[in-house]
Amino acid sequence: MKQKPDNKILKEPSEGTEEGTKTVPAPSVVSRRHVVAGLSVVMAGTLLTGCGTLIQPGGMASGEVSTAEEAWRQSLLREIHDIARQWPEMDDRTRQQIEDQAINPLRDNEHILIAGLDQYTRPVAIEFQAMFELALSRRLQHSLVKSVTLIIHTDRPATPLCHPKGQVFADALPEAIRNDTRRLMTILNRTVTLRSLCSMAQPEFRCITAWSRGGTGQLAATERKMFEQAIADNSLPGLINMPLEAASIPPELSGATCIVTGQGGEEIVFALNGQQVWNSERNAVWQYWFGGRRHERINRHLSRLDHFLQQAGITVPQLGGRGPAV
Amino acid sequence: MNIRKILQVCHHCKPGQQLFRVAGLCLLSIILMTGCARHQEPIQPVQQELAGCEACQGEAEALRQGMLNTISELVSADNELEEWQKQQIQAQAILPLREDNTVVVTGIDHQIEPVAHAVASAFEQAAEILSRDADNAHPDQEHPLRFERLSVHSGESGKVAWVVLSKEGVKLVFEVEEQKSCSRCDSVIWNYRFGCSPDAPVILQQEQ
């Protein structure tokens, strides 16, 4: 297409010279084609990525969820889905249940409950947690996250740290668990995934095991020894032992909470509420929160946990509490 | 109709290119003036819904909590329910609904379905009691005046909804919805929704 002579050269108004005139430095040829092409690029960028104003963590009103956080959440769920497909020694039925009862519902909801008999729900809820830990390890290895704070807040020290890597002290467990391969596997798999996370040497990763006063006294001798070894283990630099001043943890706060900050500053919370294996009852209700920390329900859960931990003598700044960092 | 004349292009120009440019510039102008769609629709906090809309000024929330109290009392007093069933009803529906107006419960069908039915039954009883009380109540007493039960079934999924209308015009909707997620592993999702929804009766009737 030929260009119209009038549009061939566009001269900008001059500024900054004594004479009030200035020659526009080359290149000064701007055609309509260039303008259209430039605008098309901007438009395509806007349409593909959004306008960008939501991806400013500090600027969002409470309760809003940013596009970046939602994208991060969905990509992690996809990764967990892929991990579930390759998860070793898991029957297809459990695999399908994890997909239908945890992964898929969390795609559309930031908070879900998994309910039913402990023998059916524990493998779904805890294997899902193990898969999350593995996915997080991978992201840390590839520097895809800026920082991770994982807090395990349970009456006794984190169960996987009380058993050797890849093994379970079956004798130390309740009889119902000891005779249930699927529930035994939940402990065994997490002895690997949690240690893998804690072995991360990055300064931006920390795993705090916070447990009630007297929690280690309730452990079997083998479990206590293993836990003490894990705490002293130099190959687990990310692990921090934090005994609480509280005598017990309220059932609705027993579990684990992970706050992940992405490279873009987005903050994602992955939290679980449930009972430890020694305290399992016949019927169980597990709660999962997964989403941006500004989501109302997630924010509420973090506030309650923060309040409890502060009363029990621990301040975790990442939870929103003020005070010296642990 | 001469497209070249309309677009004011000469015979050297292709009308298609010009149309593309005009459309592109229009779209860009719209985006720049109004912002992108994602920016316009941030996910609203649940708490905002609970606070009550301008119309009801929080009356719906007071009525909602009152009905949850009645449901809780009915469940506690039900001699046909075992203790663990009562605990499950509290944990799966009543306690979460006190804080949020939507609850998503997943599990194996035969393990969580009885809880959902017990919740639905308790709600209907609570609505009947409050409705009956309202008939005999003093005009100044705050009670819902009537309630309506609506059922919607679609394929393997089903939804039952109750609409409670208070004399102040507050419309509360309680929905219990079952979503079969997998027939191979018997997984199921139960959604409980309980909140103020002025348009819900109309929507539900249209679905029927």
Side-chain angles (χ1 to χ4, degrees), chain A residues 42-279:
Chain A
V42 172
M43 186 172 66
T46 308
L47 289 172
L48 289 171
T49 64
C51 57
T53 50
L54 275 183
I55 315 172
Q56 290 176 8
M60 287 190 299
S62 175
E64 290 182 0
V65 176
S66 81
T67 316
E69 286 170 354
E70 185 57 19
W72 206 95
R73 202 173 79 91
Q74 295 295 341
S75 85
L76 194 69
L77 284 170
R78 278 196 298 275
E79 192 171 340
I80 295 174
H81 173 265
D82 293 341
I83 289 171
R85 296 248 164 137
Q86 299 155 14
W87 201 246
E89 296 186 41
M90 178 177 278
D91 59 284
D92 287 345
R93 192 181 171 84
T94 308
R95 207 185 305 275
Q96 190 68 43
Q97 284 172 352
I98 290 170
E99 196 163 314
D100 291 323
Q101 293 174 30
I103 299 172
N104 288 339
L106 279 170
R107 287 184 204 274
D108 301 323
N109 305 281
E110 281 78 8
H111 176 235
I112 62 162
L113 285 82
I114 302 172
L117 293 173
D118 189 78
Q119 68 185 91
Y120 292 103
T121 54
R122 184 172 293 276
V124 173
I126 303 297
E127 296 284 24
F128 178 59
Q129 184 188 15
M131 290 167 188
F132 167 79
E133 287 170 347
L134 181 63
L136 197 58
S137 296
R138 289 180 180 178
R139 292 197 172 207
L140 272 162
Q141 278 168 351
H142 294 97
S143 301
L144 295 174
V145 292
K146 192 187 274 180
S147 70
V148 176
T149 302
L150 170 62
I151 313 153
I152 299 171
H153 33 91
T154 43
D155 271 325
R156 296 185 186 183
T159 310
L161 299 175
C162 301
H163 296 261
K165 187 176 181 180
Q167 293 176 45
V168 176
F169 294 133
D171 290 346
L173 299 171
E175 193 178 347
I177 307 292
R178 210 182 303 157
N179 299 321
D180 185 343
T181 312
R182 291 201 327 156
R183 281 191 282 184
L184 275 178
M185 287 299 290
T186 63
I187 304 172
L188 191 139
N189 285 332
R190 285 198 64 232
T191 64
V192 178
T193 56
L194 185 59
R195 276 183 174 79
S196 168
L197 259 181
C198 293
S199 68
M200 296 288 162
Q202 287 97 324
E204 58 273 24
F205 172 78
R206 67 179 68 189
C207 170
I208 300 163
T209 173
W211 40 277
S212 310
R213 192 174 60 227
T216 49
Q218 297 171 325
L219 296 172
T222 48
E223 289 179 306
R224 189 163 52 247
K225 191 177 173 189
M226 184 50 59
F227 178 65
E228 286 165 0
Q229 280 179 16
I231 293 302
D233 192 343
N234 289 332
S235 68
L236 304 175
L239 183 61
I240 301 169
N241 183 30
M242 294 298 288
L244 298 170
E245 289 168 12
S248 64
I249 289 182
E252 67 274 14
L253 288 180
S254 169
T257 301
C258 188
I259 301 158
V260 184
T261 306
Q263 292 293 5
E266 61 276 14
E267 278 191 300
I268 305 291
V269 176
F270 182 92
L272 162 68
N273 165 232
Q275 303 309 310
Q276 282 183 291
V277 70
W278 62 272
N279 198 24

Side-chain angles (χ1 to χ4, degrees), chain A residues 1-2 4 32-33 35-36 39-40 42-43 46-54 62-65 67 70 93 96-97 100-102 104-105 109-118 120-121 281-285 287 294-297 300 304, chain B residues 8 10 12-14 17-18 20-21 23-25 27-28 31-32 35-36 38-40 42-48 50 84 87-88 91-93 96 99-108 110-112 181-182 184-189 191:
Chain A
M1 187 176 76
K2 286 183 181 175
K4 291 180 182 176
R32 282 172 58 188
R33 182 181 291 177
V35 172
V36 170
L39 291 176
S40 299
V42 172
M43 186 172 66
T46 308
L47 289 172
L48 289 171
T49 64
C51 57
T53 50
L54 275 183
S62 175
E64 290 182 0
V65 176
T67 316
E70 185 57 19
R93 192 181 171 84
Q96 190 68 43
Q97 284 172 352
D100 291 323
Q101 293 174 30
N104 288 339
N109 305 281
E110 281 78 8
H111 176 235
I112 62 162
L113 285 82
I114 302 172
L117 293 173
D118 189 78
Y120 292 103
T121 54
E281 293 184 357
R282 190 167 181 272
N283 290 281
V285 176
Q287 293 193 78
R294 286 172 183 78
H295 189 277
E296 183 65 33
R297 295 187 199 196
R300 195 194 304 147
R304 284 177 183 161
Chain B
Q8 295 182 323
C10 65
H12 298 293
C13 299
K14 292 178 183 172
Q17 286 179 344
Q18 192 73 356
F20 174 77
R21 284 177 196 160
L25 286 169
L27 192 55
L28 181 67
I31 291 167
L32 290 174
C36 67
R38 271 183 282 182
H39 192 178
Q40 286 177 321
I43 297 168
Q44 293 301 317
V46 175
Q47 200 62 36
Q48 200 169 328
L50 293 181
W84 70 267
Q87 285 173 3
Q88 288 292 305
Q92 288 182 38
E99 298 195 323
D100 300 296
N101 53 13
T102 59
V103 178
V104 178
V105 184
T106 73
I108 294 174
H110 69 269
Q111 289 178 22
I112 60 171
S181 55
C182 178
R184 279 182 298 168
C185 67
D186 291 333
S187 290
V188 71
I189 299 172
N191 294 304

Side-chain angles (χ1 to χ4, degrees), chain B residues 88-130:
Chain B
Q88 288 292 305
I89 293 167
Q90 288 283 349
Q92 288 182 38
I94 297 172
L95 287 176
L97 281 172
R98 284 202 181 278
E99 298 195 323
D100 300 296
N101 53 13
T102 59
V103 178
V104 178
V105 184
T106 73
I108 294 174
D109 197 1
H110 69 269
Q111 289 178 22
I112 60 171
E113 188 184 10
V115 173
H117 283 294
V119 171
S121 169
F123 181 86
E124 185 150 317
Q125 281 182 58
E128 274 177 5
I129 289 168
L130 291 172

